[in-house]
Amino acid sequence: MRVDHFHDLITWQLADELRREVLAFTETGPASRDFKYRDQIRDAVASACRNTSEGFDRFRPAEFARFLEFARGSLGETQDGLIDGHERNYISGELFDRLWLLSKRALGANTNLMKYLQKCADTDDAPWRKTRKREPGTKNPEREPGTLR
């Protein structure tokens, strides 16, 4: 699968889904009135998305892996916030279970990508730089001006 933008990454997609879920449950109910809790868990989960996207756009495996480490820390902080919210009865058992599973999936995807990038950095492999074979007589597959691809 080709990844052209950070939102194509499974780890970012899972973190973003978790972010949307956290925003939703902290929008109403007791969590919405505990400003410190609400802001902290929202910032933690948003940081996972921000660091993943920033690392991707740096376009170097070692740097990207480093930013994924930061994102992983933010996902861990989010998990702590989920536990705290559950203990304070801000999150029902069913919602907690769903968010916990989502956070574990996000951590797993993050870890797998981080290990891959660290391997690329250690071996000086840059798979995105490998040229693609073209049919003779075809134009260079550069993106068209004004398009995302």
Side-chain angles (χ1 to χ4, degrees), residues 4 21 29 41 51 56 59 64 73 80 83 117 129 146-147:
D4 294 317
E21 292 274 352
I41 194 169
N51 280 300
F56 177 84
F59 213 63
F64 189 7
D80 181 68
I83 292 168
L117 291 168
R129 289 193 188 126
T147 64

Side-chain angles (χ1 to χ4, degrees), residues 25 28 30-31 34 37 84-92 95:
F25 97 77
T28 62
D34 185 341
Y37 170 81
D84 187 27
H86 188 255
E87 290 173 353
R88 295 179 190 215
N89 294 316
Y90 294 171
I91 308 171
S92 69
L95 178 60

Side-chain angles (χ1 to χ4, degrees), residues 19-69:
R19 172 173 54 183
R20 286 183 276 118
E21 292 274 352
V22 166
L23 289 173
F25 97 77
T26 57
E27 191 72 27
T28 62
S32 69
R33 295 183 295 276
D34 185 341
F35 302 122
K36 188 173 182 180
Y37 170 81
R38 181 197 66 197
D39 293 347
Q40 189 155 358
I41 194 169
R42 283 179 170 188
D43 187 53
V45 72
S47 178
C49 296
R50 285 191 305 263
N51 280 300
T52 301
S53 61
E54 183 174 353
F56 177 84
D57 284 334
R58 289 181 178 259
F59 213 63
R60 290 191 172 84
E63 278 192 80
F64 189 7
R66 193 176 109 234
F67 276 85
L68 287 174
E69 288 179 29

Side-chain angles (χ1 to χ4, degrees), residues 56-120:
F56 177 84
D57 284 334
R58 289 181 178 259
F59 213 63
R60 290 191 172 84
E63 278 192 80
F64 189 7
R66 193 176 109 234
F67 276 85
L68 287 174
E69 288 179 29
F70 300 146
R72 183 174 171 74
S74 295
L75 289 168
E77 184 180 356
T78 301
Q79 283 187 326
D80 181 68
L82 293 174
I83 292 168
D84 187 27
H86 188 255
E87 290 173 353
R88 295 179 190 215
N89 294 316
Y90 294 171
I91 308 171
S92 69
E94 184 180 320
L95 178 60
F96 175 82
D97 290 345
R98 190 174 78 237
L99 296 179
W100 188 260
L101 179 60
L102 185 55
S103 70
K104 285 176 59 175
R105 290 180 61 213
L107 277 166
N110 172 290
T111 301
N112 289 337
L113 180 56
M114 188 171 49
K115 286 179 179 179
Y116 168 75
L117 291 168
Q118 288 168 338
K119 181 182 169 195
C120 287

Side-chain angles (χ1 to χ4, degrees), residues 1 3 5-20 48-49 52 102 105-106 109:
M1 178 183 153
V3 175
H5 195 265
F6 65 82
H7 58 69
D8 295 332
L9 297 167
I10 299 299
T11 186
W12 184 88
Q13 292 170 10
L14 291 168
D16 181 57
E17 184 178 349
L18 182 60
R19 172 173 54 183
R20 286 183 276 118
C49 296
T52 301
L102 185 55
R105 290 180 61 213

